[in-house]
Amino acid sequence: MTVNISVTINGTTYQKDVEPRTLLVHFIRDTLGLTGTNIGCDTVQCGACTIHMDGMAIKSCATLAVQADGSQITTIEGLAKDGELHPMQQAFWDNHGLQCGYCTPGMIMAATKLVENNPGITEEEIRHGLEGNLCRCTGYANIVKSIKAAAQAMGGGA
Amino acid sequence: MGNYIGKVVKRVEDPRFIQGKGRYIANLNLPGMSYAAIKRSPHAHANIKSINVEKARNMEGVIAVMTGKDLAESGLGTLPCGFTPPDIKLPPYPALAIDKIRYMGHGVAVVVAESRYLAQDALDLIEVNYEVLDAVVDAKKAREEGAPQVHEETPNNTSFYWPIGDKEAVEKAISEADHVVDLNLINQRLVPNAMEPRAVVAQWDDFSGEMTVWTTTQNPHVIRVLMSAFTLFIPENKLRVISPDVGGGFGSKIFHYPEEIIIPWLSKALNRSVKWVSLRSESFVTDAHGRDHVTNCKLALKSDGTFTGLYVSIHANMGGYLSLFAPMVPSALCLTLLNGIYTIPAIYGETYGVMTHTVPVDAYRGAGRPEASYMVERLINIAAQELNMDPLEIRRKNLIQPDAFPFQTQVALVYDSGNYPGLLDKAEEVSGYQAMRAAQKQARGEGKLVGIGVSTCIEACGVAPSKAVISLGAGVGLWESGSIRVHPTGMISVFTGNHSHGQGHETTFAQVVADELGVPIENIEVIHGDTGRSSMGLGTYGSRSNVGMAALSKTAEKIREKVIKIAAHQLEASVEDMVYDQEKGEIHVKGSPDKKKAFGEIAFACLTAHELPDGMEPGLEETSFYDPENFVFPNSAHICLVEIDRNTGEVEIKKYTAIDDVGKVINPMIVEGQIQGGIAQGVGQALWEHGAYDDQGQLLAGSMMDYAMPKAGKLVDYQVDRTETPSPHNPLGVKGVGEMGTIASTVSMANAVMDALSPLGIKHLDMPLTAEKIWNAIQNSGS
Ligand code: FES
Ligand code: FES
């Protein structure tokens, strides 16, 4: 059995038949071939799969594709606009906020919403806000630094 | 010299990662791809009575189902062990279990299907009938009389015994000592948890008879040798191993894993490309674990704090089978570092390698060296407490002095260079140690549990001189290759046998070559991780990428020599009169800076080839194979401050200072990042992480919900600084940095917690120092 869904991702609307059990992250990666969103755990433990759905940062491994029917989604591939990196991407690059890069798409997507929702975000709030995003490489210091810098660039920042 | 070395250069690899274009194997999709999933044993010790795969085989969408027996009958080899001390007992390690299970998670059958969901569904249709047997999970208990036996080949579950040092001298030192600290400790099992799960894709080409395997490995060339000679038996020149972007390794992606046999075998048998991507729950029970030592250690001292002898005896848990380098970790990589940065007149260490019904244990960030540091630095801290000395002072009293290099240790190694007193002084100063002590005194007066942790560490890295490692028991030399291909337009491809899985080699190696040749870094591309492109190399682990950098530095020297010869010929000057300006990338005649050739001009001349000196070959491409003279020995002093909540036992990190001497620094930003990441991993072991098993071999910490990974909210901004004593024998003076943070931070954090608890009379607790453990200890202390 399949269900027909329509999802707008990074500005393009896709109409597809999916099995009801298909996870959104598999739909994005396997069906649509947008492999920038990574998978780091069986479910909800690592944040590598974080995307934006209808304005919220969500873990796409804990959402079914059918739940995304009719929604607006942004993935890491859609964050840069007109060939310009998003300030969060730029800040991660400038501040060595990544090493192996595997957690990075999820970190950047989570961090973008953290800052958008709290423009004057403090270091403590950043650290707390990353509760659901794991990084094994960086020890988080430069991730926090990157997010602080991005917050400044995005017009806020404590 | 140079425009790049020693400077912050932003990473050239980052644009693809921050835009979701990382080339991880899970992202690779080939035409006609099929998907594999592996049925794994839920038991740790069992006989397989029968396996029924019929239902799975008949399921729609399933292409094939194979068992361990099928694999064994196909004539493929078992997983090899590459470090074999004398008299080691080496039971064979089949990629899929055949009739016996020796750890929970070992595969028993594999399904190939048209989609990942179907493959996973089919696993549920496989029926395995197990006779479950008693298991043993603890290295010490496994050697006791009557313990369940893991293998017939390893009586008393003992695979090997590895001693080093002078036992008699140590026994004498202990018997004559004014003071002896005698400590039993456990260095607990860890699960590496690189964020990218392992993955393998194999593509057999029936037409050419070639096999391409993409695998998440830190050392594709080594894996190719092993596949070719020990497991798959495909000629090396028909086998290409590619390890593209790899999402973290920390040691766990060094080893030859079962899936690297199973997936290519299926691809060839089915004549289809096959993909397998580990689930995180599979990673927990299949990626080689780290540490897991049960240890007794003793430090003998004079009453003034002078060290006179050190004794260590380790039971090292090897798990159900010997993983690729497993026996090396608790022996040659651990006991040879017992000397620390101190003068210790007598040292003896011994290790029993013990089989248990657990996931195989192998190298994990630091590999043996964190265990060595942990013993030495815990003993010293307890000694300081018992002798009523400051932990910095007791260390100072015993340091190897700067004029003592090269320094022959009591345990085989010769240290290259260092200034250990300077290192300690800087750590004291930068951390504000004395002020922290004063504040601690006051806080203690108010009943607060405040602790200051001090540790130093030394690491033997840049592994390694081939002769040295082979004499210790390794099966391969550990040199490295580096090639530089200068294209006619002056663009440069650099090939290295090292592998980057987060370290940023595409940037740092380019920095080195750019400075060596005097060319803009934008003109250089660093290529690694593909046996079809770069020459044989040994990969990256043991902070050894400085070996590959050294190889490239040698290669660049050859390029310069050729460039100089051509320039001299064209400028009609003698070679001796030529000056290679490495800042500008120009070659001119000494005293006449206008009589010059640009690097690019010479590169083009190597194409046109009509203006070369007589007899010179055209082209501009060189390769070097560099075998280091000795290990390099980075060292560090870390100091940290914690406060423990009496009511909850929770540890709060207040401050963390790290001073590291990693020799000459190529890119300070990357060095700092390595230290920071290392600190978090070490703190993770000290406070939270534990790959705990129950007594029947069930992994209790089998997900990231149960296994406590370090999180941003629990950590702080680290204060990272350096001292610098270049290694005298590495051509670039570099020493290596990948593992330092982890080695030093584990024990500095543990020492801080124990310092905080010392007023309660608590002498030692084993890691992880969780809130629960500390709370219980506080309750039991009666305070
Ligand atoms: S993959 Fe979604 S949280 Fe880990
Ligand atoms: S950069 Fe490797 S996991 Fe975060």
Side-chain angles (χ1 to χ4, degrees):
Chain A
M1 188 194 100
T2 58
V3 178
N4 189 268
I5 61 168
S6 165
V7 186
T8 303
I9 303 188
N10 305 330
T12 306
T13 303
Y14 300 89
Q15 185 118 22
K16 296 274 176 192
D17 292 329
V18 297
E19 269 191 76
R21 63 174 174 168
T22 307
L23 295 177
L24 180 55
V25 71
H26 289 146
F27 176 73
I28 292 172
R29 288 176 51 84
D30 300 343
T31 312
L32 304 183
L34 292 168
T35 53
T37 303
N38 291 330
I39 300 175
C41 70
D42 291 4
T43 189
V44 294
Q45 295 160 25
C46 78
C49 64
T50 307
I51 59 166
H52 299 167
M53 186 163 108
D54 294 332
M56 300 216 324
I58 62 147
K59 291 180 173 175
S60 59
C61 73
T63 309
L64 295 168
V66 291
Q67 289 175 286
D69 188 19
S71 69
Q72 295 276 341
I73 286 175
T74 307
T75 67
I76 187 73
E77 290 97 334
L79 205 57
K81 289 272 178 296
D82 307 320
E84 283 252 336
L85 293 177
H86 185 281
M88 191 61 75
Q89 291 171 308
Q90 187 66 45
F92 269 69
W93 190 11
D94 293 344
N95 294 286
H96 192 28
L98 59 146
Q99 290 182 21
C100 79
Y102 200 78
C103 70
T104 310
M107 283 286 175
I108 288 179
M109 296 312 279
T112 312
K113 282 296 158 199
L114 279 181
V115 174
E116 277 176 18
N117 294 337
N118 180 5
I121 195 161
T122 64
E123 164 151 358
E124 210 185 315
E125 288 169 334
I126 292 171
R127 287 185 176 273
H128 186 72
L130 293 179
E131 171 72 22
N133 288 76
L134 296 178
C135 174
R136 194 53 150 167
C137 297
T138 64
Y140 302 101
N142 286 342
I143 290 179
V144 173
K145 197 169 150 196
S146 303
I147 298 173
K148 274 198 216 165
Q152 290 276 343
M154 288 163 73
Chain B
M1 176 194 99
N3 302 309
Y4 300 104
I5 290 180
K7 308 226 165 86
V8 170
V9 174
K10 272 168 55 177
R11 299 205 321 171
V12 301
E13 43 273 86
D14 284 1
R16 66 175 186 272
F17 293 127
I18 55 178
Q19 296 182 86
K21 294 177 188 161
R23 298 185 285 246
Y24 305 105
I25 292 174
N27 301 349
L28 179 68
N29 288 305
L30 302 170
M33 183 106 93
S34 61
Y35 301 83
I38 295 172
K39 180 88 176 170
R40 300 187 180 278
S41 169
H43 308 293
H45 191 198
N47 289 319
I48 301 175
K49 305 298 270 182
S50 64
I51 305 183
N52 186 346
V53 300
E54 278 321 298
K55 276 191 217 152
R57 231 169 230 162
N58 294 331
M59 194 186 116
E60 204 181 310
V62 168
I63 301 161
V65 184
M66 306 285 214
T67 65
K69 227 180 223 123
D70 299 329
L71 184 90
E73 282 165 6
S74 68
L76 297 188
T78 52
L79 291 151
C81 179
F83 184 88
T84 49
D87 303 324
I88 188 169
K89 306 202 174 55
L90 206 59
Y93 183 0
L96 288 173
I98 300 163
D99 41 31
K100 189 144 195 165
I101 298 296
R102 295 185 173 91
Y103 67 90
M104 169 194 164
H106 199 185
V108 295
V110 56
V111 172
V112 187
E114 297 293 348
S115 82
R116 73 161 82 226
Y117 281 60
L118 291 173
Q120 210 66 39
D121 287 344
L123 290 187
D124 294 339
L125 301 180
I126 298 175
E127 289 158 9
V128 189
N129 184 4
Y130 294 101
E131 177 194 6
V132 180
L133 304 168
D134 260 351
V136 62
V137 300
D138 177 278
K140 200 114 194 238
K141 286 193 187 131
R143 291 190 71 237
E144 284 167 8
E145 184 98 7
Q149 295 296 295
V150 182
H151 294 275
E152 275 171 26
E153 294 89 338
T154 52
N156 298 319
N157 292 321
T158 308
S159 166
F160 65 91
Y161 172 70
W162 203 92
I164 192 169
D166 187 339
K167 192 172 186 179
E168 248 173 64
V170 172
E171 280 168 354
K172 186 157 176 280
I174 289 174
S175 69
E176 289 172 358
D178 295 337
H179 192 83
V180 177
V181 181
D182 187 338
L183 182 65
N184 290 315
L185 58 85
I186 293 173
N187 200 304
Q188 87 272 27
R189 178 181 286 248
L190 301 178
V191 183
N193 274 322
M195 289 313 300
E196 178 206 26
R198 285 190 300 113
V200 180
V201 170
Q203 185 179 39
W204 168 252
D205 182 344
D206 213 23
F207 178 71
S208 64
E210 284 174 18
M211 174 77 81
T212 307
V213 181
W214 289 261
T215 177
T216 45
T217 183
Q218 301 174 214
N219 33 236
H221 290 88
V222 174
I223 297 300
R224 184 177 62 159
V225 173
L226 300 172
M227 283 176 166
S228 203
F230 297 99
T231 58
L232 287 171
F233 307 118
I234 295 172
E236 236 172 319
N237 52 358
K238 290 285 188 188
L239 181 58
R240 180 174 176 191
V241 178
I242 303 174
S243 179
D245 285 332
V246 170
F250 316 110
S252 70
K253 291 172 180 163
I254 299 172
F255 324 116
H256 193 13
Y257 280 101
E259 295 80 11
E260 290 167 334
I261 303 175
I262 299 166
I263 304 303
W265 166 61
L266 289 167
S267 177
K268 190 172 173 187
L270 304 171
N271 198 14
R272 284 193 63 168
S273 53
V274 183
K275 180 177 191 173
W276 170 80
V277 180
S278 175
L279 300 171
R280 178 60 58 186
S281 47
E282 280 183 290
S283 308
F284 268 95
V285 293
T286 65
D287 292 5
H289 290 174
R291 321 277 194 255
D292 206 344
H293 294 183
V294 182
T295 301
N296 173 253
C297 49
K298 299 180 184 76
L299 180 65
L301 308 95
K302 291 192 195 155
S303 53
D304 69 355
T306 307
F307 307 156
T308 56
L310 174 66
Y311 168 90
V312 163
S313 178
I314 298 173
H315 281 66
N317 196 332
M318 297 282 103
Y321 293 96
L322 293 170
S323 173
L324 186 60
F325 288 123
M328 188 176 191
V329 177
S331 58
L333 288 176
C334 178
L335 300 180
T336 55
L337 272 305
L338 290 176
N339 208 111
I341 60 171
Y342 310 106
T343 303
I344 308 177
I347 301 178
Y348 174 75
E350 59 180 12
T351 295
Y352 294 93
V354 186
M355 309 310 298
T356 65
H357 295 106
T358 60
V359 172
V361 179
D362 208 321
Y364 169 65
R365 201 169 195 173
R369 292 151 293 182
E371 295 91 319
S373 265
Y374 184 67
M375 294 181 268
V376 173
E377 298 292 318
R378 280 297 298 132
L379 283 169
I380 293 175
N381 254 46
I382 294 171
Q385 244 167 45
E386 292 179 349
L387 295 175
N388 220 349
M389 289 176 77
D390 182 275
L392 271 183
E393 282 326 302
I394 194 170
R395 286 175 170 84
R396 275 208 178 98
K397 204 173 175 64
N398 291 282
L399 291 177
I400 297 166
Q401 293 304 308
D403 59 4
F405 296 94
F407 180 86
Q408 174 67 57
T409 71
Q410 299 293 318
V411 274
L413 300 177
V414 179
Y415 293 167
D416 55 352
S417 66
N419 177 356
Y420 306 146
L423 182 76
L424 231 54
D425 290 350
K426 185 150 185 184
E428 177 175 19
E429 183 201 314
V430 173
S431 66
Y433 182 78
Q434 296 305 339
M436 275 198 289
R437 279 288 176 215
Q440 179 190 39
K441 204 166 172 194
Q442 190 172 352
R444 277 185 176 165
E446 295 160 12
K448 289 187 182 154
L449 299 176
V450 171
I452 299 166
V454 174
S455 76
T456 73
C457 88
I458 185 150
E459 180 191 9
C461 68
V463 286
S466 298
K467 278 193 186 133
V469 285
I470 288 186
S471 77
L472 290 169
V476 284
L478 288 166
W479 45 270
E480 199 46 83
S481 70
S483 306
I484 299 178
R485 180 179 298 162
V486 183
H487 302 285
T489 57
M491 302 304 282
I492 296 175
S493 298
V494 171
F495 301 88
T496 173
N498 284 138
H499 185 274
S500 180
H501 30 281
Q503 295 88 340
H505 294 162
E506 287 168 48
T507 307
T508 50
F509 283 35
Q511 284 178 262
V512 169
V513 174
D515 273 0
E516 292 275 357
L517 298 180
V519 298
I521 200 166
E522 297 77 32
N523 292 3
I524 299 173
E525 187 188 9
V526 176
I527 294 149
H528 65 91
D530 183 348
T531 64
R533 297 190 75 186
S534 45
S535 301
M536 178 69 204
L538 280 305
T540 287
Y541 38 84
S543 308
R544 72 180 302 277
S545 291
N546 50 72
V547 184
M549 278 194 186
L552 283 172
S553 155
K554 299 256 172 205
T555 309
E557 202 176 305
K558 292 184 190 171
I559 298 268
R560 279 202 309 270
E561 273 168 28
K562 182 162 180 175
V563 166
I564 285 174
K565 276 186 199 155
I566 299 169
H569 173 75
Q570 295 187 352
L571 295 166
E572 296 176 348
S574 75
V575 166
E576 294 73 48
D577 287 341
M578 300 308 294
V579 179
Y580 196 126
D581 182 337
Q582 285 176 235
E583 253 170 57
K584 295 197 187 127
E586 283 173 1
I587 306 89
H588 65 255
V589 180
K590 205 181 287 169
S592 319
D594 292 343
K595 285 188 79 181
K596 66 180 180 194
K597 287 281 169 189
F599 179 81
E601 290 178 80
I602 305 290
F604 200 71
C606 289
L607 168 73
T608 57
H610 66 289
E611 271 190 302
L612 302 179
D614 281 347
M616 180 182 276
E617 293 176 4
L620 192 51
E621 175 169 346
E622 299 287 351
T623 296
S624 296
F625 298 88
Y626 174 71
D627 197 351
E629 240 173 75
N630 187 1
F631 300 90
V632 284
F633 295 92
N635 48 86
S636 67
H638 288 200
I639 295 181
C640 61
L641 178 69
V642 302
E643 182 168 347
I644 295 172
D645 184 331
R646 252 177 208 274
N647 298 318
T648 63
E650 186 90 24
V651 176
E652 187 192 346
I653 306 169
K654 295 285 207 189
K655 190 170 171 186
Y656 198 102
T657 307
I659 311 295
D660 295 78
D661 172 6
V662 300
K664 198 155 163 61
V665 167
I666 306 292
N667 186 331
M669 174 189 85
I670 286 179
V671 163
E672 226 173 82
Q674 287 291 316
I675 300 284
Q676 292 170 341
I679 292 171
Q681 259 170 320
V683 170
Q685 168 162 25
L687 299 184
W688 308 300
E689 297 179 38
H690 186 193
Y693 276 97
D694 76 5
D695 62 359
Q696 285 310 306
Q698 289 293 315
L699 185 63
L700 298 173
S703 79
M704 286 160 170
M705 301 297 253
D706 313 297
Y707 185 89
M709 298 272 284
K711 291 191 170 187
K714 299 269 184 205
L715 293 161
V716 292
D717 199 9
Y718 325 100
Q719 202 177 12
V720 176
D721 209 333
R722 289 194 307 272
T723 58
E724 189 171 311
T725 60
S727 173
H729 62 82
N730 179 291
L732 295 160
V734 301
K735 286 185 172 174
V737 64
E739 297 160 295
M740 286 302 290
T742 304
I743 300 172
S745 65
T746 310
V747 62
S748 72
M749 186 50 61
N751 279 344
V753 172
M754 297 322 300
D755 186 47
L757 295 176
S758 63
L760 308 181
I762 301 167
K763 172 170 140 183
H764 178 78
L765 297 174
D766 283 321
M767 302 180 294
L769 298 163
T770 59
E772 183 194 4
K773 193 178 282 173
I774 292 172
W775 186 84
N776 277 318
I778 294 174
Q779 303 314 305
N780 295 336
S781 74
S783 324

